Amino acid sequence: MYVAELGLVDFRSYVRSAITLQPGVTSFIGSNGQGKTNLVEAIEYLSTLSSHRVSNDVPLIRLGARQAIVRARVRAGSDDLRSLLLEVEINSGRANRTRINRARTQRTRDLLGVLRTVVFSPNDLSIVRGDPSDRRHFLDGLVITRWPRMAGVKADYERILRQRNVLLKSLAGRGASAGGEAGATLEIWDEQLATIGAELLSARLDTLSSLMPLAAKAYGDIAPVNDLTTVQYRSTIDLSDLWSPPQADTPSDPVDRAALTERFRDALSARRKDELVRGVTLAGPHRDDVVLHIGQLPAKGYASHGESWSLALALRLGSFELLRADGIEPVLVLDDVFAELDSTRRDRLAGSIVDADQVLVTTAVASDVPEVLHGARFDVGGGNVMAHEEVLDER
């Protein structure tokens, strides 16, 4: 899979831009603040309907414009000329719209899964060093990339969680139980939260089980020393006899979702008294964490900068290989990554991805990109995107 054409209207710093791309490696080279990351961010947005740089859509619309448009023609492969035209209209103050081959989709999330991407960026360090929410976000993003319908499951879980929290807040301080109509309503939310939450948690655990052997291998390939990495899933639900961390190159067994649902119900029941006092849901995947280890120590708080970077990259490389194992060839985006790595890690990373269908690189310094990844080059600066000394696009 690769992006053959990219078109932007009022997206970030670009008034209009139209770029033709090829399979293989393409580098966007320019000083900081010139708009090179905006180009790959647009491709990521078409893939995930989100950006690794911002948490909402407002900054994506050029200052003074009312909407931004991103469109791309995506081809199945270098030897497969089948293609789809994808388009997203990012609107200020109203719902976004998406189209496939110019036909509007019923829901914006219907675009998910058509174009798959794996994005490496400096923000990936937060997967290792950041809060639990950063690791949940990473894992849920991979879950949705594998199974796009899980975007709806996650949205349903968050909606039920909000409504249950509203009810708990209204009942806060009533003591160990809630009776009458309020209690019956809480039981309904408990059942829905347990059912949907178990589906989300099951997908997380299955993905983590498949991912970590691949990520562990990638870490061993990247890291010069101390190359053993493992994972634990720290849950608010008792998983002791339902799931165990994957070992070496062996994934864990699939999770029994029915048993997981029942265990979720038990957790909600056990925390009921505290929830009624505090007015918030205390059990569920929204409070879980993924604990990463390098050697015998947790990576967060103990890993060096280089080790943290290697682990973050290994998780992305593992994601890439997992999608490939699922029969998906994603577009790889390396957003200003090489400047953060020493020469050994640069070369090892490059050697791991050189055979991808399409690799899109952004960098401020061309010499930071390893020789094995030399390919097509665009120079980005002054509002222009240029290839071979020819101006292709103007702001």
Side-chain angles (χ1 to χ4, degrees):
M1 176 183 295
Y2 72 97
V3 176
E5 300 169 10
L6 175 66
L8 308 177
V9 178
D10 289 328
F11 182 85
R12 287 285 195 178
S13 59
Y14 293 94
V15 176
R16 286 186 179 273
S17 182
I19 304 171
T20 300
L21 299 169
Q22 301 295 329
V25 180
T26 297
S27 296
F28 298 100
I29 301 169
S31 302
N32 292 334
Q34 296 301 306
K36 57 187 184 295
T37 294
N38 298 345
L39 299 170
V40 294
E41 181 185 28
I43 292 172
E44 177 193 19
Y45 195 89
L46 278 173
S47 170
T48 65
L49 298 178
S50 63
S51 164
H52 68 280
R53 302 167 74 191
V54 293
S55 58
N56 65 76
D57 292 347
V58 173
L60 305 180
I61 303 174
R62 189 177 60 84
L63 186 63
R66 299 185 63 181
Q67 67 175 204
I69 296 175
V70 179
R71 65 173 61 92
R73 183 164 295 281
V74 178
R75 296 198 181 279
S78 56
D79 56 351
D80 188 338
L81 297 181
R82 291 178 300 166
S83 68
L84 290 172
L85 182 64
L86 312 182
E87 181 177 307
V88 59
E89 181 184 291
I90 306 169
N91 294 305
S92 177
R94 56 192 177 93
N96 295 343
R97 297 180 178 181
T98 54
R99 296 179 178 85
I100 299 176
N101 286 341
R102 304 197 182 279
R104 185 175 173 182
T105 63
Q106 290 186 340
R107 301 166 301 181
T108 56
R109 68 170 180 257
D110 290 341
L111 199 68
L112 295 173
V114 180
L115 170 64
R116 313 289 176 98
T117 58
V118 173
V119 179
F120 299 65
S121 83
N123 293 343
D124 286 346
L125 203 59
S126 67
I127 301 172
V128 179
R129 292 185 164 184
D131 296 329
S133 59
D134 296 308
R135 287 176 286 281
R136 292 195 299 266
H137 179 74
F138 160 73
L139 186 54
D140 287 345
L142 182 55
V143 164
I144 292 169
T145 300
R146 297 184 77 193
W147 306 299
R149 71 172 189 83
M150 291 302 300
V153 173
K154 188 170 187 292
D156 287 344
Y157 179 82
E158 291 170 348
R159 173 182 55 82
I160 295 166
L161 178 64
R162 285 193 301 270
Q163 292 171 322
R164 187 176 188 274
N165 282 342
V166 168
L167 179 58
L168 285 171
K169 188 173 182 180
S170 72
L171 299 174
R174 292 195 184 183
S177 63
E181 184 178 345
T185 303
L186 189 56
E187 292 292 339
I188 293 172
W189 289 134
D190 285 0
E191 182 61 31
Q192 293 188 24
L193 194 72
T195 301
I196 299 297
E199 185 173 4
L200 175 60
L201 182 52
S202 174
R204 280 186 185 177
L205 295 173
D206 287 348
T207 293
L208 196 61
S209 174
S210 299
L211 168 67
M212 286 311 299
L214 299 171
K217 181 181 183 304
Y219 186 82
D221 292 340
I222 293 171
V225 295
N226 196 18
D227 59 0
L228 177 64
T229 180
T230 56
V231 67
Q232 293 176 329
Y233 189 89
R234 183 175 294 163
S235 180
T236 52
I237 299 167
D238 180 14
L239 302 176
S240 57
D241 57 343
L242 297 180
W243 184 83
S244 58
Q247 300 295 321
D249 59 351
T250 305
S252 304
D253 293 331
V255 180
D256 184 336
R257 193 188 301 172
L260 194 58
T261 302
E262 185 62 33
R263 198 66 57 83
F264 200 160
R265 292 192 194 100
D266 293 343
L268 291 173
S269 178
R271 303 302 300 270
R272 175 66 58 84
K273 181 178 179 180
D274 289 340
E275 288 184 337
L276 288 170
V277 171
R278 297 175 58 179
V280 67
T281 302
L282 298 176
H286 63 289
R287 300 180 71 90
D288 293 352
D289 194 6
V290 177
V291 183
L292 301 161
H293 285 79
I294 298 176
Q296 300 300 312
L297 297 173
K300 182 177 180 179
Y302 289 91
S304 68
H305 183 76
E307 288 174 328
S308 297
W309 253 113
S310 294
L311 183 51
L313 289 172
L315 290 168
R316 292 298 186 188
L317 286 172
S319 302
F320 172 60
E321 293 299 338
L322 178 56
L323 294 175
R324 277 182 149 182
D326 287 345
I328 303 163
E329 188 68 31
V331 174
L332 277 172
V333 175
L334 281 67
D335 181 23
D336 204 21
V337 167
F338 288 112
E340 300 287 341
L341 304 176
D342 58 40
S343 58
T344 298
R345 288 182 171 89
R346 287 179 190 174
D347 291 341
R348 292 186 178 192
L349 171 59
S352 299
I353 62 175
V354 68
D355 63 339
D357 273 7
Q358 187 173 53
V359 182
L360 304 177
V361 180
T362 71
T363 183
V365 181
S367 59
D368 283 348
V369 181
E371 288 243 354
V372 70
L373 293 182
H374 282 185
R377 169 175 168 167
F378 289 85
D379 295 314
V380 183
N384 299 322
V385 183
M386 299 171 288
H388 305 299
E389 307 301 326
E390 178 183 356
V391 178
L392 296 182
D393 305 282
E394 297 185 357
R395 273 182 55 184

